[in-house]
Amino acid sequence: MIRSQPLSFPKSFQWGFAAAAPQIEGAAFEDNKGPSIWDTFARIPGKVLNGDTLDVACDHYHLYEKDLELMAKLGAKNYRLSISWPRIFPKGRGSVNPLGIDFYNRVIDACLLHGVTPWVTMFHWDLPQALEEDFGGWRDRRTADAFGPYADTLVKSLGDRVKNWITINEIFCFTQDGYGNGTKAPGAKESEQVVNQTYHTALLAHGEAVRAVRQYGGHGARVGITDNPIPTIPLTETEGDIEAARQTFIEINSRVLEPLYRGEYTDAYFKVVGPNVAHFQQEDFDLISQKTDFLGLNVYTGQFVRTGANGSPEILPFPKSYPTADATWLAHAPQAIYWCARHVAEIYEVPSIIITENGAGYDDAPPVNGEVLDLHRRDYVRNYLRELHRSIGDGVPVDGYFLWSFMDNYEWMDGYQRRFGVVYNDYATQQRTPKLSAKWFGQVMAENRIL
Ligand code: BGC
Protein backbone atom coordinates (compact mmCIF):
# COMPACT_ATOMS: atom_id res chain seq x y z
CA MET A 1 0.00 0.00 0.00
CA ILE A 2 1.26 3.48 -0.78
CA ARG A 3 1.25 5.81 2.23
CA SER A 4 2.59 9.34 2.31
CA GLN A 5 5.06 10.11 5.09
CA PRO A 6 3.95 12.92 7.40
CA LEU A 7 6.28 15.88 6.93
CA SER A 8 6.42 16.66 10.64
CA PHE A 9 8.64 19.20 12.36
CA PRO A 10 10.38 18.74 15.71
CA LYS A 11 8.12 19.22 18.75
CA SER A 12 9.88 22.39 19.89
CA PHE A 13 9.69 24.03 16.43
CA GLN A 14 8.40 27.64 16.59
CA TRP A 15 5.91 28.84 13.96
CA GLY A 16 4.69 32.37 13.52
CA PHE A 17 4.02 35.44 11.43
CA ALA A 18 6.34 38.37 10.78
CA ALA A 19 5.69 42.06 10.14
CA ALA A 20 7.45 45.39 10.65
CA ALA A 21 6.37 48.67 12.25
CA PRO A 22 6.77 51.06 9.30
CA GLN A 23 4.95 48.70 6.94
CA ILE A 24 1.81 48.25 9.03
CA GLU A 25 1.42 50.84 11.78
CA GLY A 26 0.55 54.07 10.00
CA ALA A 27 -0.01 56.89 12.54
CA ALA A 28 3.21 58.23 11.09
CA PHE A 29 2.95 61.58 12.85
CA GLU A 30 0.76 60.70 15.80
CA ASP A 31 1.55 60.75 19.53
CA ASN A 32 4.84 62.59 18.99
CA LYS A 33 6.40 60.09 16.61
CA GLY A 34 9.24 61.75 14.72
CA PRO A 35 9.59 61.34 10.97
CA SER A 36 11.66 58.43 9.71
CA ILE A 37 13.80 58.49 6.58
CA TRP A 38 11.03 56.51 4.91
CA ASP A 39 8.44 59.19 5.71
CA THR A 40 10.71 61.64 3.92
CA PHE A 41 11.74 59.37 1.06
CA ALA A 42 8.17 58.34 0.20
CA ARG A 43 7.38 62.01 -0.46
CA ILE A 44 10.04 62.38 -3.14
CA PRO A 45 8.17 62.15 -6.44
CA GLY A 46 8.94 58.99 -8.40
CA LYS A 47 10.56 57.06 -5.57
CA VAL A 48 7.59 54.90 -4.54
CA LEU A 49 5.00 53.35 -6.85
CA ASN A 50 1.88 55.55 -7.02
CA GLY A 51 3.48 57.94 -4.51
CA ASP A 52 2.22 55.73 -1.67
CA THR A 53 3.25 56.91 1.80
CA LEU A 54 3.44 55.10 5.13
CA ASP A 55 1.08 57.61 6.75
CA VAL A 56 -1.83 55.23 7.30
CA ALA A 57 -0.62 51.83 6.07
CA CYS A 58 -2.77 49.12 7.76
CA ASP A 59 -3.62 51.48 10.63
CA HIS A 60 -2.30 48.79 12.93
CA TYR A 61 -1.49 51.54 15.44
CA HIS A 62 -5.21 51.73 16.13
CA LEU A 63 -6.27 48.23 15.10
CA TYR A 64 -3.58 46.16 16.84
CA GLU A 65 -6.02 44.50 19.23
CA LYS A 66 -8.17 43.12 16.44
CA ASP A 67 -5.08 42.14 14.47
CA LEU A 68 -3.66 40.15 17.35
CA GLU A 69 -6.99 38.52 17.94
CA LEU A 70 -7.06 37.41 14.30
CA MET A 71 -3.46 36.26 14.42
CA ALA A 72 -4.21 34.07 17.42
CA LYS A 73 -7.37 32.79 15.78
CA LEU A 74 -5.31 31.67 12.81
CA GLY A 75 -3.18 29.67 15.23
CA ALA A 76 0.01 31.72 15.60
CA LYS A 77 1.97 31.14 18.77
CA ASN A 78 4.75 33.59 17.79
CA TYR A 79 4.80 37.02 16.22
CA ARG A 80 7.85 38.87 14.95
CA LEU A 81 7.14 42.60 15.17
CA SER A 82 9.44 45.59 14.98
CA ILE A 83 9.66 48.76 17.00
CA SER A 84 9.80 52.14 15.38
CA TRP A 85 12.91 53.98 16.59
CA PRO A 86 11.42 57.45 15.89
CA ARG A 87 8.33 56.55 17.93
CA ILE A 88 10.55 55.97 20.97
CA PHE A 89 13.08 58.72 20.27
CA PRO A 90 11.45 61.20 17.86
CA LYS A 91 14.86 62.67 17.08
CA GLY A 92 16.75 59.41 17.38
CA ARG A 93 18.33 60.38 20.69
CA GLY A 94 17.69 62.71 23.62
CA SER A 95 14.44 62.35 25.48
CA VAL A 96 12.18 59.33 25.29
CA ASN A 97 8.63 59.68 24.03
CA PRO A 98 6.55 57.95 26.72
CA LEU A 99 3.59 57.61 24.34
CA GLY A 100 5.75 55.45 22.09
CA ILE A 101 6.65 53.15 24.96
CA ASP A 102 2.97 53.01 25.97
CA PHE A 103 1.99 51.81 22.52
CA TYR A 104 4.45 48.92 22.50
CA ASN A 105 3.48 48.03 26.06
CA ARG A 106 -0.07 47.68 24.80
CA VAL A 107 0.99 45.61 21.80
CA ILE A 108 3.13 43.25 23.88
CA ASP A 109 0.36 42.86 26.44
CA ALA A 110 -2.11 42.09 23.65
CA CYS A 111 0.27 39.42 22.33
CA LEU A 112 0.52 37.80 25.74
CA LEU A 113 -3.21 38.03 26.31
CA HIS A 114 -3.69 35.95 23.16
CA GLY A 115 -0.95 33.45 23.94
CA VAL A 116 1.35 34.84 21.24
CA THR A 117 5.06 35.11 22.06
CA PRO A 118 6.56 38.38 20.79
CA TRP A 119 9.88 38.38 18.92
CA VAL A 120 10.97 42.00 18.74
CA THR A 121 13.16 43.50 16.02
CA MET A 122 14.77 46.72 17.17
CA PHE A 123 15.45 48.14 13.73
CA HIS A 124 13.56 47.44 10.52
CA TRP A 125 14.77 50.33 8.33
CA ASP A 126 12.86 53.31 9.77
CA LEU A 127 15.83 55.38 10.85
CA PRO A 128 14.87 58.66 12.56
CA GLN A 129 15.17 61.41 9.93
CA ALA A 130 16.99 63.60 12.48
CA LEU A 131 19.91 61.16 12.57
CA GLU A 132 20.20 61.27 8.80
CA GLU A 133 20.33 65.06 9.01
CA ASP A 134 22.52 65.40 12.10
CA PHE A 135 25.03 62.61 11.49
CA GLY A 136 24.55 61.37 7.93
CA GLY A 137 22.66 58.32 9.19
CA TRP A 138 24.40 54.98 8.78
CA ARG A 139 27.43 56.65 7.18
CA ASP A 140 28.57 57.73 10.62
CA ARG A 141 29.33 55.76 13.76
CA ARG A 142 27.48 58.30 15.92
CA THR A 143 24.32 56.59 14.63
CA ALA A 144 25.51 53.35 16.25
CA ASP A 145 26.30 55.33 19.41
CA ALA A 146 22.69 56.58 19.41
CA PHE A 147 21.43 53.03 18.88
CA GLY A 148 22.94 51.94 22.22
CA PRO A 149 20.64 54.03 24.46
CA TYR A 150 17.69 53.21 22.20
CA ALA A 151 18.35 49.47 22.66
CA ASP A 152 18.82 49.99 26.41
CA THR A 153 15.45 51.76 26.60
CA LEU A 154 13.65 48.96 24.76
CA VAL A 155 15.15 46.19 26.84
CA LYS A 156 14.59 48.02 30.12
CA SER A 157 10.96 48.87 29.27
CA LEU A 158 9.81 45.66 27.63
CA GLY A 159 12.34 43.06 28.74
CA ASP A 160 10.18 41.77 31.57
CA ARG A 161 7.85 40.35 28.89
CA VAL A 162 9.99 40.21 25.73
CA LYS A 163 12.58 37.43 25.76
CA ASN A 164 13.39 37.11 22.06
CA TRP A 165 15.26 40.07 20.59
CA ILE A 166 16.35 40.64 17.00
CA THR A 167 18.82 43.47 16.72
CA ILE A 168 18.66 44.58 13.10
CA ASN A 169 16.85 43.50 9.95
CA GLU A 170 18.81 42.85 6.74
CA ILE A 171 21.87 45.09 6.79
CA PHE A 172 22.46 44.27 3.12
CA CYS A 173 19.19 45.88 2.02
CA PHE A 174 19.18 49.20 3.81
CA THR A 175 22.86 49.82 3.12
CA GLN A 176 23.17 48.78 -0.54
CA ASP A 177 19.73 50.05 -1.56
CA GLY A 178 19.61 53.04 0.79
CA TYR A 179 23.11 54.40 0.26
CA GLY A 180 24.38 52.60 -2.87
CA ASN A 181 21.77 52.44 -5.63
CA GLY A 182 19.35 54.82 -3.92
CA THR A 183 16.21 52.74 -4.44
CA LYS A 184 15.37 52.72 -0.74
CA ALA A 185 15.47 55.48 1.89
CA PRO A 186 17.34 57.75 2.21
CA GLY A 187 17.87 57.33 -1.55
CA ALA A 188 21.57 58.19 -1.57
CA LYS A 189 24.07 57.12 -4.22
CA GLU A 190 27.38 57.00 -2.44
CA SER A 191 30.75 55.50 -3.30
CA GLU A 192 31.43 51.85 -2.50
CA GLN A 193 33.63 52.90 0.37
CA VAL A 194 30.81 54.85 1.99
CA VAL A 195 28.43 51.95 1.47
CA ASN A 196 30.90 49.65 3.22
CA GLN A 197 31.03 52.21 6.02
CA THR A 198 27.26 52.00 6.43
CA TYR A 199 27.59 48.24 6.88
CA HIS A 200 30.22 48.80 9.53
CA THR A 201 28.07 51.28 11.45
CA ALA A 202 25.13 48.88 11.32
CA LEU A 203 27.32 46.08 12.68
CA LEU A 204 28.35 48.35 15.55
CA ALA A 205 24.70 49.09 16.27
CA HIS A 206 23.99 45.36 16.32
CA GLY A 207 26.81 45.00 18.86
CA GLU A 208 25.30 47.72 21.03
CA ALA A 209 21.98 45.87 20.98
CA VAL A 210 23.55 42.56 21.97
CA ARG A 211 25.28 44.35 24.83
CA ALA A 212 21.96 45.90 25.93
CA VAL A 213 20.19 42.52 25.98
CA ARG A 214 23.01 40.90 27.95
CA GLN A 215 23.08 43.80 30.39
CA TYR A 216 19.39 44.36 31.00
CA GLY A 217 17.53 41.44 29.38
CA GLY A 218 17.11 39.39 32.55
CA HIS A 219 16.48 35.72 32.85
CA GLY A 220 15.91 33.81 29.62
CA ALA A 221 16.62 36.71 27.25
CA ARG A 222 17.90 35.64 23.83
CA VAL A 223 19.30 37.75 21.04
CA GLY A 224 20.25 37.39 17.39
CA ILE A 225 20.46 39.39 14.18
CA THR A 226 18.36 38.89 11.07
CA ASP A 227 20.51 38.63 7.99
CA ASN A 228 19.57 38.04 4.39
CA PRO A 229 22.62 36.44 2.89
CA ILE A 230 22.31 35.66 -0.79
CA PRO A 231 21.71 31.90 -0.78
CA THR A 232 23.93 30.06 -3.23
CA ILE A 233 22.39 26.86 -4.57
CA PRO A 234 24.65 24.26 -6.11
CA LEU A 235 23.38 23.64 -9.62
CA THR A 236 23.67 19.92 -8.99
CA GLU A 237 24.14 18.39 -5.57
CA THR A 238 27.58 17.07 -6.44
CA GLU A 239 30.76 17.70 -4.54
CA GLY A 240 32.15 20.18 -7.09
CA ASP A 241 29.05 22.36 -7.33
CA ILE A 242 28.50 22.24 -3.56
CA GLU A 243 32.03 23.49 -3.00
CA ALA A 244 31.54 26.23 -5.61
CA ALA A 245 28.32 27.30 -3.89
CA ARG A 246 30.00 27.30 -0.50
CA GLN A 247 32.95 29.44 -1.63
CA THR A 248 30.64 31.88 -3.36
CA PHE A 249 28.42 32.07 -0.28
CA ILE A 250 31.34 33.10 1.92
CA GLU A 251 32.49 35.79 -0.47
CA ILE A 252 29.25 37.44 -1.50
CA ASN A 253 28.01 37.57 2.07
CA SER A 254 31.33 38.49 3.63
CA ARG A 255 30.46 42.05 4.66
CA VAL A 256 28.09 40.84 7.39
CA LEU A 257 28.72 37.21 8.28
CA GLU A 258 32.53 37.24 8.37
CA PRO A 259 32.87 40.08 10.91
CA LEU A 260 29.98 38.67 12.97
CA TYR A 261 31.33 35.15 13.19
CA ARG A 262 35.07 35.54 12.61
CA GLY A 263 35.50 38.74 14.61
CA GLU A 264 37.44 40.53 11.87
CA TYR A 265 37.37 41.53 8.24
CA THR A 266 38.80 38.44 6.59
CA ASP A 267 40.47 37.77 3.25
CA ALA A 268 37.04 37.03 1.76
CA TYR A 269 35.95 40.56 2.74
CA PHE A 270 39.10 42.21 1.42
CA LYS A 271 38.76 40.30 -1.86
CA VAL A 272 35.20 41.53 -2.33
CA VAL A 273 35.62 45.18 -1.29
CA GLY A 274 39.03 45.74 -2.87
CA PRO A 275 40.34 49.21 -2.03
CA ASN A 276 36.99 50.30 -0.54
CA VAL A 277 37.51 48.96 2.95
CA ALA A 278 35.44 50.55 5.73
CA HIS A 279 37.33 52.52 8.35
CA PHE A 280 37.40 50.52 11.54
CA GLN A 281 39.10 50.24 14.88
CA GLN A 282 40.35 46.89 16.01
CA GLU A 283 38.25 46.94 19.18
CA ASP A 284 35.06 47.38 17.10
CA PHE A 285 35.11 43.66 16.52
CA ASP A 286 34.80 42.90 20.24
CA LEU A 287 31.42 44.60 20.11
CA ILE A 288 30.41 43.24 16.70
CA SER A 289 31.28 39.59 17.25
CA GLN A 290 29.78 39.05 20.71
CA LYS A 291 28.21 35.62 20.89
CA THR A 292 24.53 35.53 19.98
CA ASP A 293 21.88 32.89 20.65
CA PHE A 294 20.49 32.40 17.17
CA LEU A 295 20.85 33.65 13.63
CA GLY A 296 17.73 34.91 11.89
CA LEU A 297 17.60 34.28 8.15
CA ASN A 298 15.27 35.95 5.69
CA VAL A 299 15.10 33.76 2.62
CA TYR A 300 13.17 34.54 -0.54
CA THR A 301 15.26 33.50 -3.50
CA GLY A 302 18.82 32.45 -4.36
CA GLN A 303 21.45 32.09 -7.06
CA PHE A 304 22.47 28.89 -8.78
CA VAL A 305 26.21 28.27 -8.76
CA ARG A 306 28.30 25.65 -10.55
CA THR A 307 31.96 24.88 -11.11
CA GLY A 308 32.72 26.95 -14.18
CA ALA A 309 34.74 25.94 -17.23
CA ASN A 310 38.00 27.23 -15.70
CA GLY A 311 37.34 25.44 -12.43
CA SER A 312 36.26 28.54 -10.49
CA PRO A 313 32.72 29.04 -9.20
CA GLU A 314 30.29 30.50 -11.70
CA ILE A 315 27.04 32.25 -10.72
CA LEU A 316 24.31 31.52 -13.23
CA PRO A 317 21.87 34.25 -14.23
CA PHE A 318 18.21 33.31 -14.20
CA PRO A 319 16.89 32.83 -17.72
CA LYS A 320 13.93 34.97 -18.74
CA SER A 321 11.46 32.11 -18.47
CA TYR A 322 12.42 31.05 -14.95
CA PRO A 323 9.29 31.23 -12.75
CA THR A 324 8.98 34.21 -10.42
CA ALA A 325 6.33 35.72 -8.16
CA ASP A 326 4.71 38.96 -9.36
CA ALA A 327 7.62 40.54 -7.52
CA THR A 328 9.98 39.69 -10.39
CA TRP A 329 13.10 39.70 -8.19
CA LEU A 330 11.52 36.77 -6.44
CA ALA A 331 12.57 33.78 -8.54
CA HIS A 332 10.91 30.64 -7.27
CA ALA A 333 13.92 28.73 -5.93
CA PRO A 334 12.85 26.68 -2.89
CA GLN A 335 16.28 25.06 -2.58
CA ALA A 336 17.49 28.49 -1.42
CA ILE A 337 16.09 27.89 2.04
CA TYR A 338 17.80 24.50 2.37
CA TRP A 339 21.17 25.79 1.18
CA CYS A 340 21.11 29.06 3.05
CA ALA A 341 20.47 27.29 6.35
CA ARG A 342 22.97 24.54 5.57
CA HIS A 343 25.74 26.95 4.53
CA VAL A 344 25.53 29.04 7.72
CA ALA A 345 25.38 25.91 9.87
CA GLU A 346 28.41 24.40 8.16
CA ILE A 347 30.53 27.48 7.63
CA TYR A 348 29.86 29.36 10.88
CA GLU A 349 28.66 26.55 13.11
CA VAL A 350 25.57 28.56 13.99
CA PRO A 351 23.90 26.71 16.86
CA SER A 352 20.33 27.79 16.16
CA ILE A 353 18.74 29.17 13.01
CA ILE A 354 15.37 30.89 12.88
CA ILE A 355 13.83 31.64 9.50
CA THR A 356 12.64 35.13 10.39
CA GLU A 357 11.04 35.73 6.97
CA ASN A 358 9.94 33.79 3.92
CA GLY A 359 6.92 34.47 1.75
CA ALA A 360 5.70 35.57 -1.64
CA GLY A 361 4.58 38.87 -3.18
CA TYR A 362 1.75 38.85 -5.69
CA ASP A 363 -0.75 41.45 -6.85
CA ASP A 364 -3.72 39.54 -5.45
CA ALA A 365 -7.18 40.53 -6.57
CA PRO A 366 -9.75 41.56 -3.92
CA PRO A 367 -11.83 38.86 -2.23
CA VAL A 368 -14.69 37.26 -4.14
CA ASN A 369 -17.47 35.97 -1.89
CA GLY A 370 -15.13 36.50 1.03
CA GLU A 371 -12.37 34.35 -0.48
CA VAL A 372 -8.91 34.98 -1.90
CA LEU A 373 -7.77 31.73 -3.51
CA ASP A 374 -4.04 32.41 -3.44
CA LEU A 375 -2.92 28.95 -4.45
CA HIS A 376 0.18 30.58 -5.93
CA ARG A 377 1.30 31.77 -2.48
CA ARG A 378 0.26 28.56 -0.76
CA ASP A 379 2.32 26.48 -3.19
CA TYR A 380 5.29 28.82 -3.03
CA VAL A 381 5.46 28.56 0.76
CA ARG A 382 4.75 24.84 0.72
CA ASN A 383 7.68 24.18 -1.61
CA TYR A 384 10.03 26.20 0.59
CA LEU A 385 8.80 24.40 3.70
CA ARG A 386 9.55 21.02 2.12
CA GLU A 387 13.13 22.15 1.56
CA LEU A 388 13.29 23.45 5.11
CA HIS A 389 12.07 20.11 6.35
CA ARG A 390 14.80 18.42 4.32
CA SER A 391 17.45 20.63 5.96
CA ILE A 392 16.28 19.63 9.44
CA GLY A 393 16.34 15.98 8.40
CA ASP A 394 19.95 16.47 7.27
CA GLY A 395 20.91 17.82 10.69
CA VAL A 396 20.74 21.59 10.15
CA PRO A 397 19.65 23.23 13.44
CA VAL A 398 16.59 25.18 12.26
CA ASP A 399 14.32 25.97 15.20
CA GLY A 400 11.64 28.26 13.82
CA TYR A 401 9.86 29.71 10.80
CA PHE A 402 8.08 33.07 10.48
CA LEU A 403 5.93 33.67 7.43
CA TRP A 404 6.21 37.08 5.81
CA SER A 405 3.72 38.45 6.23
CA PHE A 406 0.66 38.36 8.42
CA MET A 407 -1.26 40.88 6.31
CA ASP A 408 -0.69 42.85 3.12
CA ASN A 409 1.35 45.92 3.90
CA TYR A 410 3.56 48.72 2.62
CA GLU A 411 6.01 46.96 0.35
CA TRP A 412 8.62 49.75 0.35
CA MET A 413 9.14 51.18 -3.14
CA ASP A 414 6.38 48.94 -4.51
CA GLY A 415 3.89 50.73 -2.26
CA TYR A 416 0.60 49.00 -1.56
CA GLN A 417 0.27 47.22 -4.89
CA ARG A 418 2.50 44.29 -4.09
CA ARG A 419 0.92 42.01 -1.50
CA PHE A 420 2.88 39.63 0.73
CA GLY A 421 0.14 39.01 3.29
CA VAL A 422 -1.75 35.81 3.98
CA VAL A 423 -4.49 38.14 5.17
CA TYR A 424 -5.87 40.46 2.49
CA ASN A 425 -6.10 44.10 3.48
CA ASP A 426 -8.58 46.46 1.89
CA TYR A 427 -6.79 49.77 2.40
CA ALA A 428 -9.95 51.84 1.90
CA THR A 429 -11.89 50.13 4.68
CA GLN A 430 -9.04 48.43 6.62
CA GLN A 431 -11.04 45.24 6.40
CA ARG A 432 -8.91 42.11 6.84
CA THR A 433 -9.81 38.91 4.98
CA PRO A 434 -7.76 35.76 5.58
CA LYS A 435 -6.71 34.27 2.25
CA LEU A 436 -6.63 30.56 1.51
CA SER A 437 -2.93 30.57 2.41
CA ALA A 438 -3.72 31.87 5.92
CA LYS A 439 -6.09 29.04 6.65
CA TRP A 440 -3.68 26.48 5.22
CA PHE A 441 -0.71 27.89 7.16
CA GLY A 442 -2.81 27.94 10.33
CA GLN A 443 -3.34 24.22 9.92
CA VAL A 444 0.37 23.67 9.28
CA MET A 445 1.17 25.48 12.53
CA ALA A 446 -1.48 23.57 14.47
CA GLU A 447 -0.41 20.15 13.20
CA ASN A 448 3.31 20.99 13.10
CA ARG A 449 3.64 19.43 9.68
CA ILE A 450 3.40 20.33 6.01
CA LEU A 451 -0.05 19.73 4.60
C1 BGC B 1 12.06 42.78 4.26
C2 BGC B 1 10.58 43.10 4.35
C3 BGC B 1 9.99 43.09 2.96
C4 BGC B 1 10.15 41.70 2.36
C5 BGC B 1 9.55 41.52 0.98
C6 BGC B 1 12.40 41.69 3.29
O1 BGC B 1 13.53 42.07 2.59
O2 BGC B 1 12.60 42.55 5.53
O3 BGC B 1 10.43 44.33 5.00
O4 BGC B 1 8.67 43.52 2.91
O5 BGC B 1 11.52 41.41 2.28
O6 BGC B 1 10.18 42.32 0.05
Side-chain angles (χ1 to χ4, degrees):
M1 195 167 83
I2 296 175
R3 296 178 98 227
S4 51
Q5 296 297 315
L7 294 167
S8 298
F9 282 72
K11 269 211 168 62
S12 56
F13 197 78
Q14 306 288 320
W15 297 97
F17 290 116
Q23 295 177 271
I24 59 169
E25 284 179 3
F29 305 100
E30 216 170 301
D31 289 344
N32 305 330
K33 177 183 163 290
S36 80
I37 54 173
W38 270 94
D39 294 318
T40 308
F41 180 76
R43 288 180 159 68
I44 305 174
K47 291 294 187 186
V48 175
L49 190 68
N50 304 321
D52 289 342
T53 69
L54 306 80
D55 294 7
V56 180
C58 307
D59 201 22
H60 178 72
Y61 192 78
H62 300 108
L63 301 175
Y64 68 93
E65 280 175 298
K66 276 200 151 54
D67 285 337
L68 276 155
E69 199 180 307
L70 176 58
M71 207 180 286
K73 202 169 136 210
L74 291 172
K77 296 273 182 282
N78 296 280
Y79 171 37
R80 175 179 175 233
L81 63 137
S82 88
I83 292 194
S84 158
W85 186 352
R87 215 181 269 294
I88 304 297
F89 286 98
K91 293 193 177 326
R93 58 198 169 123
S95 44
V96 177
N97 171 27
L99 296 177
I101 303 278
D102 287 354
F103 170 63
Y104 293 106
N105 270 327
R106 294 197 298 275
V107 171
I108 300 300
D109 289 346
C111 286
L112 299 178
L113 178 74
H114 291 290
V116 175
T117 301
W119 294 60
V120 171
T121 306
M122 297 179 178
F123 180 74
H124 201 124
W125 306 357
D126 46 351
L127 184 76
Q129 174 67 26
L131 295 182
E132 185 62 25
E133 283 163 23
D134 298 349
F135 299 154
W138 291 109
R139 299 172 188 85
D140 194 289
R141 63 192 298 139
R142 284 174 293 173
T143 293
D145 296 341
F147 198 78
Y150 164 59
D152 289 344
T153 304
L154 297 189
V155 180
K156 284 182 191 170
S157 324
L158 308 173
D160 56 332
R161 287 150 294 154
V162 174
K163 292 297 167 190
N164 299 288
W165 295 98
I166 294 161
T167 58
I168 292 204
N169 182 69
E170 296 191 356
I171 293 181
F172 170 78
C173 272
F174 69 84
T175 55
Q176 291 287 354
D177 295 351
Y179 295 87
N181 59 46
T183 54
K184 291 195 172 88
K189 291 185 183 166
E190 300 284 4
S191 68
E192 276 184 46
Q193 200 282 329
V194 172
V195 174
N196 291 330
Q197 204 63 50
T198 62
Y199 274 90
H200 192 74
T201 312
L203 288 167
L204 289 169
H206 156 76
E208 286 290 347
V210 176
R211 180 206 44 74
V213 174
R214 298 293 184 231
Q215 211 168 336
Y216 304 113
H219 182 69
R222 287 156 32 88
V223 64
I225 193 172
T226 279
D227 190 25
N228 62 327
I230 299 172
T232 54
I233 309 164
L235 180 63
T236 62
E237 295 195 357
T238 53
E239 227 176 278
D241 286 353
I242 291 175
E243 184 48 33
R246 178 188 157 96
Q247 268 182 40
T248 309
F249 186 87
I250 296 172
E251 281 177 17
I252 55 179
N253 300 306
S254 62
R255 289 177 177 87
V256 174
L257 291 173
E258 291 284 289
L260 280 181
Y261 286 100
R262 306 275 182 237
E264 58 179 351
Y265 285 137
T266 57
D267 290 347
Y269 174 85
F270 292 118
K271 183 171 168 196
V272 168
V273 304
N276 304 308
V277 176
H279 302 297
F280 62 89
Q281 295 158 12
Q282 208 46 50
E283 57 271 24
D284 290 350
F285 296 105
D286 297 342
L287 193 65
I288 291 171
S289 65
Q290 291 164 90
K291 200 165 168 302
T292 52
D293 303 301
F294 59 86
L295 174 65
L297 292 178
N298 289 357
V299 181
Y300 289 92
T301 185
Q303 291 281 188
F304 284 97
V305 177
R306 70 177 171 194
T307 309
N310 64 2
S312 329
E314 181 190 4
I315 299 180
L316 301 177
F318 281 109
K320 203 173 113 294
S321 306
Y322 197 85
T324 69
D326 287 340
T328 51
W329 56 267
L330 215 172
H332 182 97
Q335 308 92 313
I337 207 164
Y338 173 92
W339 282 102
C340 193
R342 178 165 159 180
H343 286 319
V344 297
E346 285 186 333
I347 300 167
Y348 300 110
E349 291 168 28
V350 172
S352 173
I353 296 166
I354 306 286
I355 304 298
T356 39
E357 282 182 34
N358 169 243
Y362 291 95
D363 303 341
D364 298 311
V368 176
N369 300 326
E371 280 198 314
V372 178
L373 293 175
D374 60 340
L375 285 165
H376 40 284
R377 181 173 292 98
R378 199 288 300 254
D379 278 9
Y380 173 101
V381 172
R382 196 169 187 275
N383 290 339
Y384 278 65
L385 284 182
R386 291 181 81 105
E387 285 287 322
L388 190 65
H389 185 266
R390 175 163 82 103
S391 72
I392 297 172
D394 286 358
V396 180
V398 184
D399 297 318
Y401 175 96
F402 289 77
L403 180 64
W404 184 273
S405 187
F406 171 59
M407 60 184 153
D408 297 332
N409 57 56
Y410 186 80
E411 180 50 20
W412 309 113
M413 58 276 196
D414 290 331
Y416 294 106
Q417 179 171 311
R418 185 76 14 94
R419 294 170 181 270
F420 273 82
V422 292
V423 172
Y424 187 92
N425 191 39
D426 178 334
Y427 291 101
T429 60
Q430 297 296 354
Q431 166 130 22
R432 323 283 200 230
T433 308
K435 304 177 192 178
L436 174 134
S437 58
K439 297 173 190 163
W440 166 79
F441 188 65
Q443 231 179 324
V444 168
M445 294 193 283
E447 297 193 22
N448 199 24
R449 66 187 178 110
I450 306 172
L451 297 161

